[in-house]
Amino acid sequence: MKTRRTPPRRWPLALMLTLLAAATPLCAAPRGEQAPPAPASDPGSPVDSDWILRTLARPAPMRANFVEFRDSPLLKAPLRVSGEYQRPDAETMVREVRVPYLETTTIRTGKSGDGEVTIARAGRSPRKFSLARAPEIAGLPASFGAMLSGDHALLERNYRVQVEGTRRRWSMTLVPRQQALASKLREINLYGRGVELRCIETQLAKGKTVHRTLLAGAAREADGLSTGPALANLCHGEAQ
């Protein structure tokens, strides 16, 4: 009997989602700390990408709790996943899921942009994948490293960056420049209030599936919400 193997073409998309989920939210304030409000003298000032990147930049080590919601037409209600993101050093990112299952995803990158992803789930043998198997997304860790370090130039080389709002309430949209990644990912949207990153939305190039991660105050305010529209309003800052 032949062993059934997962079609190779499915791995790039799965790895991409893992990288997106494990990297960006580490811009949030460390666990146990609340981000201070924007300076009272300029909360209404127009926002720009340099200000957002300076605000979100956090050096390693980092830890941040998260609540993720995956909304899809195939689901009656968004799937809720919670746990902790960790960035123990500049080359390592960890996404630890605690509810509704136990799973740890570790991404280690090298200086040359190569790297390896390890997925360990309770009751199963760990799985390891080289980023070389998915060349169209191999640069994602470096791209998000640019965001975490506030490197605007590097981020602009990989994404078209658009910002809206004021320092009181703002959003930043990242659209992939490279066709290989753009064929998988439509855009990434970040939403914040002051210096607090509250929500990240990842939209795939095909279909209507939305991967939504709530952070900081928005994660706490998500208790009791279960519908896609309510969570979208909270993510976009339309819920008080």
Side-chain angles (χ1 to χ4, degrees), residues 82-99:
S82 62
E84 183 182 71
Y85 291 108
Q86 304 167 20
R87 190 175 180 235
D89 55 64
E91 285 74 41
T92 306
M93 296 175 285
V94 180
R95 173 179 178 271
E96 184 176 297
V97 176
R98 296 172 179 170
V99 179

Side-chain angles (χ1 to χ4, degrees), residues 208-227:
K208 298 182 179 180
T209 299
V210 177
H211 185 111
R212 185 174 290 121
T213 301
L214 299 177
L215 302 155
R220 294 187 292 272
E221 295 164 20
D223 289 343
L225 300 181
S226 59
T227 66

Side-chain angles (χ1 to χ4, degrees), residues 4-237:
R4 185 177 180 181
R5 300 181 63 184
T6 303
R9 293 179 63 85
R10 295 185 59 184
W11 288 124
L13 180 57
L15 287 175
M16 181 189 70
L17 290 175
T18 298
L19 289 168
L20 293 177
T24 315
L26 291 175
C27 300
R31 182 179 60 177
E33 298 182 14
Q34 284 190 334
S41 60
D42 63 357
S45 300
V47 74
D48 58 53
S49 55
D50 282 330
W51 183 87
I52 293 177
L53 290 179
R54 289 196 304 270
T55 297
L56 299 184
R58 298 288 191 275
M62 280 289 305
R63 306 170 75 96
N65 293 328
F66 72 87
V67 178
E68 291 178 6
F69 292 90
R70 302 171 190 174
D71 198 3
S72 169
L74 301 178
L75 299 174
K76 293 183 178 180
L79 174 64
R80 181 184 180 118
V81 178
S82 62
E84 183 182 71
Y85 291 108
Q86 304 167 20
R87 190 175 180 235
D89 55 64
E91 285 74 41
T92 306
M93 296 175 285
V94 180
R95 173 179 178 271
E96 184 176 297
V97 176
R98 296 172 179 170
V99 179
Y101 52 84
L102 299 177
E103 181 181 85
T104 301
T105 301
T106 303
I107 305 165
R108 292 187 174 87
T109 60
K111 294 182 180 180
S112 61
D114 57 354
E116 183 179 71
V117 179
T118 301
I119 302 176
R121 192 162 186 173
R124 301 181 184 179
S125 299
R127 294 178 293 163
K128 294 186 178 182
F129 311 98
S130 170
L131 291 180
R133 294 179 58 183
E136 68 268 39
I137 64 169
L140 278 175
S143 297
F144 287 114
M147 185 181 301
L148 292 168
S149 63
D151 191 334
H152 190 180
L154 180 55
L155 192 66
E156 284 277 6
R157 285 203 296 271
N158 292 280
Y159 298 91
R160 292 191 296 275
V161 181
Q162 179 180 352
V163 299
E164 294 182 0
T166 66
R167 297 185 181 186
R168 179 184 293 111
R169 176 179 163 188
W170 51 266
S171 65
M172 182 165 71
T173 300
L174 306 177
V175 180
R177 291 184 181 275
Q178 298 181 359
Q179 182 57 40
L181 180 56
S183 67
K184 305 290 185 181
L185 174 69
R186 179 179 297 119
E187 62 185 28
I188 304 167
N189 297 286
L190 292 81
Y191 299 91
R193 290 182 185 172
V195 298
E196 182 183 70
L197 174 62
R198 291 172 57 85
C199 184
I200 301 160
E201 283 185 343
T202 302
Q203 298 187 31
L204 302 184
K206 298 180 180 180
K208 298 182 179 180
T209 299
V210 177
H211 185 111
R212 185 174 290 121
T213 301
L214 299 177
L215 302 155
R220 294 187 292 272
E221 295 164 20
D223 289 343
L225 300 181
S226 59
T227 66
L231 293 168
N233 288 339
L234 177 59
C235 176
H236 301 164

